[in-house]
mmCIF file of all heavy atoms in Angstrom:
data_model
loop_
_atom_site.group_PDB
_atom_site.id
_atom_site.type_symbol
_atom_site.label_atom_id
_atom_site.label_comp_id
_atom_site.label_asym_id
_atom_site.label_seq_id
_atom_site.Cartn_x
_atom_site.Cartn_y
_atom_site.Cartn_z
ATOM 1 N N TYR A 1 0.845 -1.210 -0.022
ATOM 2 C CA TYR A 1 0.030 -0.028 0.001
ATOM 3 C C TYR A 1 0.870 1.296 0.007
ATOM 4 O O TYR A 1 0.566 2.175 -0.777
ATOM 5 C CB TYR A 1 -0.932 -0.011 1.205
ATOM 6 C CG TYR A 1 -1.878 1.150 1.220
ATOM 7 C CD1 TYR A 1 -3.056 1.164 0.396
ATOM 8 C CD2 TYR A 1 -1.666 2.318 1.983
ATOM 9 C CE1 TYR A 1 -3.901 2.180 0.403
ATOM 10 C CE2 TYR A 1 -2.474 3.381 1.952
ATOM 11 C CZ TYR A 1 -3.621 3.322 1.168
ATOM 12 O OH TYR A 1 -4.523 4.397 1.134
ATOM 13 N N GLU A 2 1.891 1.321 0.845
ATOM 14 C CA GLU A 2 2.747 2.425 0.959
ATOM 15 C C GLU A 2 3.530 2.599 -0.394
ATOM 16 O O GLU A 2 3.661 3.755 -0.848
ATOM 17 C CB GLU A 2 3.750 2.273 2.123
ATOM 18 C CG GLU A 2 3.118 2.360 3.450
ATOM 19 C CD GLU A 2 4.040 1.962 4.586
ATOM 20 O OE1 GLU A 2 5.243 1.844 4.333
ATOM 21 O OE2 GLU A 2 3.567 1.797 5.722
ATOM 22 N N THR A 3 4.073 1.530 -0.970
ATOM 23 C CA THR A 3 4.781 1.615 -2.157
ATOM 24 C C THR A 3 3.904 2.086 -3.335
ATOM 25 O O THR A 3 4.264 2.914 -4.151
ATOM 26 C CB THR A 3 5.397 0.258 -2.582
ATOM 27 O OG1 THR A 3 6.220 -0.201 -1.477
ATOM 28 C CG2 THR A 3 6.208 0.342 -3.852
ATOM 29 N N ASN A 4 2.621 1.587 -3.353
ATOM 30 C CA ASN A 4 1.684 1.891 -4.337
ATOM 31 C C ASN A 4 1.324 3.408 -4.294
ATOM 32 O O ASN A 4 1.234 4.042 -5.364
ATOM 33 C CB ASN A 4 0.475 1.020 -4.255
ATOM 34 C CG ASN A 4 -0.455 1.086 -5.445
ATOM 35 O OD1 ASN A 4 -0.034 0.884 -6.558
ATOM 36 N ND2 ASN A 4 -1.744 1.440 -5.196
ATOM 37 N N GLN A 5 1.145 3.883 -3.087
ATOM 38 C CA GLN A 5 0.764 5.265 -2.933
ATOM 39 C C GLN A 5 1.925 6.178 -3.434
ATOM 40 O O GLN A 5 1.716 7.228 -4.047
ATOM 41 C CB GLN A 5 0.449 5.600 -1.485
ATOM 42 C CG GLN A 5 -0.853 4.993 -0.959
ATOM 43 C CD GLN A 5 -2.035 5.333 -1.764
ATOM 44 O OE1 GLN A 5 -2.375 6.584 -1.817
ATOM 45 N NE2 GLN A 5 -2.699 4.424 -2.411
ATOM 46 N N LEU A 6 3.221 5.752 -3.070
ATOM 47 C CA LEU A 6 4.352 6.475 -3.551
ATOM 48 C C LEU A 6 4.492 6.514 -5.064
ATOM 49 O O LEU A 6 4.682 7.601 -5.688
ATOM 50 C CB LEU A 6 5.616 5.883 -2.925
ATOM 51 C CG LEU A 6 6.978 6.481 -3.433
ATOM 52 C CD1 LEU A 6 7.093 7.936 -2.997
ATOM 53 C CD2 LEU A 6 8.156 5.679 -2.829
ATOM 54 N N LEU A 7 4.206 5.405 -5.697
ATOM 55 C CA LEU A 7 4.257 5.303 -7.163
ATOM 56 C C LEU A 7 3.163 6.188 -7.769
ATOM 57 O O LEU A 7 3.356 6.813 -8.834
ATOM 58 C CB LEU A 7 4.123 3.836 -7.585
ATOM 59 C CG LEU A 7 5.254 2.936 -7.311
ATOM 60 C CD1 LEU A 7 4.939 1.460 -7.683
ATOM 61 C CD2 LEU A 7 6.515 3.353 -8.040
ATOM 62 N N GLN A 8 2.004 6.216 -7.155
ATOM 63 C CA GLN A 8 0.883 7.076 -7.600
ATOM 64 C C GLN A 8 1.268 8.574 -7.610
ATOM 65 O O GLN A 8 1.036 9.312 -8.518
ATOM 66 C CB GLN A 8 -0.385 6.834 -6.816
ATOM 67 C CG GLN A 8 -0.978 5.455 -6.920
ATOM 68 C CD GLN A 8 -1.754 5.331 -8.263
ATOM 69 O OE1 GLN A 8 -2.096 6.261 -8.914
ATOM 70 N NE2 GLN A 8 -2.044 4.077 -8.629
ATOM 71 N N ARG A 9 1.938 8.940 -6.424
ATOM 72 C CA ARG A 9 2.368 10.338 -6.280
ATOM 73 C C ARG A 9 3.386 10.688 -7.340
ATOM 74 O O ARG A 9 3.362 11.762 -7.978
ATOM 75 C CB ARG A 9 2.873 10.597 -4.943
ATOM 76 C CG ARG A 9 1.789 10.581 -3.819
ATOM 77 C CD ARG A 9 2.266 11.220 -2.504
ATOM 78 N NE ARG A 9 3.360 10.419 -1.901
ATOM 79 C CZ ARG A 9 3.165 9.434 -1.093
ATOM 80 N NH1 ARG A 9 1.946 9.027 -0.726
ATOM 81 N NH2 ARG A 9 4.204 8.765 -0.593
ATOM 82 N N GLN A 10 4.311 9.762 -7.534
ATOM 83 C CA GLN A 10 5.396 10.031 -8.570
ATOM 84 C C GLN A 10 4.780 10.146 -9.929
ATOM 85 O O GLN A 10 5.214 10.979 -10.766
ATOM 86 C CB GLN A 10 6.438 8.837 -8.458
ATOM 87 C CG GLN A 10 7.322 8.895 -7.214
ATOM 88 C CD GLN A 10 8.210 7.700 -7.160
ATOM 89 O OE1 GLN A 10 7.946 6.696 -7.822
ATOM 90 N NE2 GLN A 10 9.245 7.810 -6.383
ATOM 91 N N ALA A 11 3.808 9.251 -10.260
ATOM 92 C CA ALA A 11 3.162 9.280 -11.621
ATOM 93 C C ALA A 11 2.440 10.582 -11.795
ATOM 94 O O ALA A 11 2.513 11.212 -12.886
ATOM 95 C CB ALA A 11 2.248 8.109 -11.737
ATOM 96 N N LYS A 12 1.763 11.068 -10.791
ATOM 97 C CA LYS A 12 0.970 12.346 -10.904
ATOM 98 C C LYS A 12 1.982 13.482 -11.057
ATOM 99 O O LYS A 12 1.681 14.428 -11.882
ATOM 100 C CB LYS A 12 0.135 12.560 -9.686
ATOM 101 C CG LYS A 12 -1.084 11.577 -9.645
ATOM 102 C CD LYS A 12 -1.882 11.754 -8.343
ATOM 103 C CE LYS A 12 -3.053 10.761 -8.349
ATOM 104 N NZ LYS A 12 -3.803 10.865 -7.057
ATOM 105 N N GLU A 13 3.112 13.457 -10.326
ATOM 106 C CA GLU A 13 4.063 14.506 -10.473
ATOM 107 C C GLU A 13 4.727 14.548 -11.861
ATOM 108 O O GLU A 13 4.944 15.610 -12.411
ATOM 109 C CB GLU A 13 5.135 14.325 -9.375
ATOM 110 C CG GLU A 13 6.174 15.477 -9.273
ATOM 111 C CD GLU A 13 5.532 16.806 -8.910
ATOM 112 O OE1 GLU A 13 4.493 16.813 -8.190
ATOM 113 O OE2 GLU A 13 6.032 17.874 -9.328
ATOM 114 N N GLN A 14 5.010 13.350 -12.364
ATOM 115 C CA GLN A 14 5.529 13.200 -13.704
ATOM 116 C C GLN A 14 4.567 13.806 -14.708
ATOM 117 O O GLN A 14 4.993 14.502 -15.699
ATOM 118 C CB GLN A 14 5.799 11.755 -14.021
ATOM 119 C CG GLN A 14 6.356 11.498 -15.432
ATOM 120 C CD GLN A 14 6.491 9.999 -15.772
ATOM 121 O OE1 GLN A 14 6.741 9.173 -14.849
ATOM 122 N NE2 GLN A 14 6.326 9.681 -16.961
ATOM 123 N N ASN A 15 3.266 13.490 -14.565
ATOM 124 C CA ASN A 15 2.296 13.989 -15.496
ATOM 125 C C ASN A 15 2.129 15.523 -15.441
ATOM 126 O O ASN A 15 1.904 16.140 -16.401
ATOM 127 C CB ASN A 15 0.991 13.290 -15.241
ATOM 128 C CG ASN A 15 0.915 11.869 -15.701
ATOM 129 O OD1 ASN A 15 1.776 11.428 -16.415
ATOM 130 N ND2 ASN A 15 -0.092 11.136 -15.309
ATOM 131 N N LYS A 16 2.234 16.029 -14.204
ATOM 132 C CA LYS A 16 2.148 17.442 -13.956
ATOM 133 C C LYS A 16 3.248 18.191 -14.719
ATOM 134 O O LYS A 16 3.070 19.209 -15.382
ATOM 135 C CB LYS A 16 2.201 17.755 -12.491
ATOM 136 C CG LYS A 16 1.949 19.217 -12.143
ATOM 137 C CD LYS A 16 1.931 19.363 -10.649
ATOM 138 C CE LYS A 16 1.713 20.865 -10.272
ATOM 139 N NZ LYS A 16 1.811 21.081 -8.814
ATOM 140 N N LYS A 17 4.484 17.641 -14.613
ATOM 141 C CA LYS A 17 5.636 18.269 -15.335
ATOM 142 C C LYS A 17 5.446 18.102 -16.873
ATOM 143 O O LYS A 17 5.771 18.973 -17.592
ATOM 144 C CB LYS A 17 6.897 17.530 -14.880
ATOM 145 C CG LYS A 17 7.308 17.897 -13.433
ATOM 146 C CD LYS A 17 8.589 17.084 -13.058
ATOM 147 C CE LYS A 17 8.966 17.417 -11.616
ATOM 148 N NZ LYS A 17 10.195 16.718 -11.204
ATOM 149 N N ALA A 18 4.960 16.918 -17.261
ATOM 150 C CA ALA A 18 4.772 16.682 -18.680
ATOM 151 C C ALA A 18 3.710 17.679 -19.293
ATOM 152 O O ALA A 18 3.822 18.148 -20.414
ATOM 153 C CB ALA A 18 4.363 15.235 -18.939
ATOM 154 N N GLU A 19 2.665 17.892 -18.546
ATOM 155 C CA GLU A 19 1.569 18.756 -18.930
ATOM 156 C C GLU A 19 2.072 20.186 -19.060
ATOM 157 O O GLU A 19 1.701 20.938 -20.006
ATOM 158 C CB GLU A 19 0.436 18.686 -17.952
ATOM 159 C CG GLU A 19 -0.404 17.454 -18.043
ATOM 160 C CD GLU A 19 -1.399 17.238 -16.884
ATOM 161 O OE1 GLU A 19 -1.412 18.171 -16.036
ATOM 162 O OE2 GLU A 19 -2.030 16.192 -16.848
ATOM 163 N N GLN A 20 2.900 20.612 -18.088
ATOM 164 C CA GLN A 20 3.511 21.922 -18.144
ATOM 165 C C GLN A 20 4.406 22.127 -19.323
ATOM 166 O O GLN A 20 4.385 23.137 -20.043
ATOM 167 C CB GLN A 20 4.335 22.151 -16.858
ATOM 168 C CG GLN A 20 4.927 23.554 -16.778
ATOM 169 C CD GLN A 20 3.932 24.708 -16.787
ATOM 170 O OE1 GLN A 20 2.820 24.573 -16.252
ATOM 171 N NE2 GLN A 20 4.189 25.819 -17.525
ATOM 172 N N ARG A 21 5.233 21.056 -19.611
ATOM 173 C CA ARG A 21 6.098 21.108 -20.757
ATOM 174 C C ARG A 21 5.282 21.114 -22.088
ATOM 175 O O ARG A 21 5.693 21.845 -23.033
ATOM 176 C CB ARG A 21 7.050 19.877 -20.780
ATOM 177 C CG ARG A 21 8.045 19.860 -21.888
ATOM 178 C CD ARG A 21 8.886 21.088 -21.936
ATOM 179 N NE ARG A 21 9.908 21.046 -23.028
ATOM 180 C CZ ARG A 21 10.534 22.099 -23.496
ATOM 181 N NH1 ARG A 21 10.306 23.297 -22.982
ATOM 182 N NH2 ARG A 21 11.412 21.970 -24.521
ATOM 183 N N ALA A 22 4.203 20.344 -22.095
ATOM 184 C CA ALA A 22 3.371 20.358 -23.333
ATOM 185 C C ALA A 22 2.775 21.703 -23.606
ATOM 186 O O ALA A 22 2.703 22.161 -24.794
ATOM 187 C CB ALA A 22 2.277 19.290 -23.168
ATOM 188 N N LYS A 23 2.382 22.391 -22.534
ATOM 189 C CA LYS A 23 1.823 23.772 -22.678
ATOM 190 C C LYS A 23 2.877 24.689 -23.249
ATOM 191 O O LYS A 23 2.563 25.530 -24.145
ATOM 192 C CB LYS A 23 1.374 24.241 -21.330
ATOM 193 C CG LYS A 23 0.598 25.547 -21.333
ATOM 194 C CD LYS A 23 0.149 25.900 -19.938
ATOM 195 C CE LYS A 23 -0.582 27.345 -20.008
ATOM 196 N NZ LYS A 23 -1.013 27.719 -18.620
ATOM 197 N N GLU A 24 4.076 24.627 -22.702
ATOM 198 C CA GLU A 24 5.167 25.503 -23.240
ATOM 199 C C GLU A 24 5.469 25.213 -24.713
ATOM 200 O O GLU A 24 5.665 26.160 -25.483
ATOM 201 C CB GLU A 24 6.435 25.231 -22.431
ATOM 202 C CG GLU A 24 6.342 25.654 -20.947
ATOM 203 C CD GLU A 24 7.530 25.185 -20.109
ATOM 204 O OE1 GLU A 24 8.419 24.551 -20.694
ATOM 205 O OE2 GLU A 24 7.535 25.466 -18.896
ATOM 206 N N LEU A 25 5.469 23.937 -25.065
ATOM 207 C CA LEU A 25 5.761 23.542 -26.454
ATOM 208 C C LEU A 25 4.661 24.016 -27.436
ATOM 209 O O LEU A 25 4.920 24.580 -28.477
ATOM 210 C CB LEU A 25 5.937 22.076 -26.524
ATOM 211 C CG LEU A 25 7.147 21.446 -25.883
ATOM 212 C CD1 LEU A 25 7.053 19.896 -25.894
ATOM 213 C CD2 LEU A 25 8.456 21.896 -26.526
ATOM 214 N N GLN A 26 3.419 23.851 -26.974
ATOM 215 C CA GLN A 26 2.242 24.297 -27.784
ATOM 216 C C GLN A 26 2.298 25.822 -27.993
ATOM 217 O O GLN A 26 2.023 26.326 -29.106
ATOM 218 C CB GLN A 26 0.980 23.843 -27.119
ATOM 219 C CG GLN A 26 0.701 22.362 -27.192
ATOM 220 C CD GLN A 26 -0.359 21.879 -26.264
ATOM 221 O OE1 GLN A 26 -0.809 22.641 -25.345
ATOM 222 N NE2 GLN A 26 -0.813 20.606 -26.416
ATOM 223 N N GLU A 27 2.671 26.545 -26.949
ATOM 224 C CA GLU A 27 2.741 28.039 -27.088
ATOM 225 C C GLU A 27 3.768 28.455 -28.049
ATOM 226 O O GLU A 27 3.627 29.367 -28.863
ATOM 227 C CB GLU A 27 2.976 28.572 -25.725
ATOM 228 C CG GLU A 27 1.714 28.536 -24.822
ATOM 229 C CD GLU A 27 2.029 29.020 -23.362
ATOM 230 O OE1 GLU A 27 3.187 29.360 -23.072
ATOM 231 O OE2 GLU A 27 1.054 29.168 -22.609
ATOM 232 N N PHE A 28 4.984 27.762 -27.961
ATOM 233 C CA PHE A 28 6.048 28.066 -28.863
ATOM 234 C C PHE A 28 5.720 27.808 -30.309
ATOM 235 O O PHE A 28 5.943 28.589 -31.247
ATOM 236 C CB PHE A 28 7.317 27.336 -28.454
ATOM 237 C CG PHE A 28 8.512 27.655 -29.225
ATOM 238 C CD1 PHE A 28 9.444 28.633 -28.761
ATOM 239 C CD2 PHE A 28 8.802 27.076 -30.481
ATOM 240 C CE1 PHE A 28 10.541 28.982 -29.479
ATOM 241 C CE2 PHE A 28 9.902 27.467 -31.209
ATOM 242 C CZ PHE A 28 10.795 28.402 -30.726
ATOM 243 N N ILE A 29 5.098 26.565 -30.517
ATOM 244 C CA ILE A 29 4.689 26.179 -31.851
ATOM 245 C C ILE A 29 3.681 27.120 -32.461
ATOM 246 O O ILE A 29 3.790 27.587 -33.646
ATOM 247 C CB ILE A 29 4.134 24.719 -31.884
ATOM 248 C CG1 ILE A 29 5.240 23.784 -31.472
ATOM 249 C CG2 ILE A 29 3.528 24.337 -33.204
ATOM 250 C CD1 ILE A 29 4.760 22.378 -31.074
#
């Protein structure tokens, strides 16, 4: 349970960064 929760938090953080990067790229394009 603890490991799974940690992986979930890491995945959400990764997606948050990816979404931010996608926004920057779309604006530049």
Side-chain angles (χ1 to χ4, degrees):
Y1 184 79
E2 290 171 12
T3 303
N4 192 54
Q5 292 301 300
L6 174 62
L7 292 173
Q8 293 283 345
R9 288 194 297 271
Q10 289 175 339
K12 288 177 182 177
E13 187 62 31
Q14 177 184 330
N15 286 349
K16 186 177 178 181
K17 290 178 181 178
E19 286 168 4
Q20 181 60 37
R21 181 59 180 160
K23 185 179 178 182
E24 293 171 1
L25 293 170
Q26 287 166 347
E27 288 175 353
F28 186 94
I29 294 165

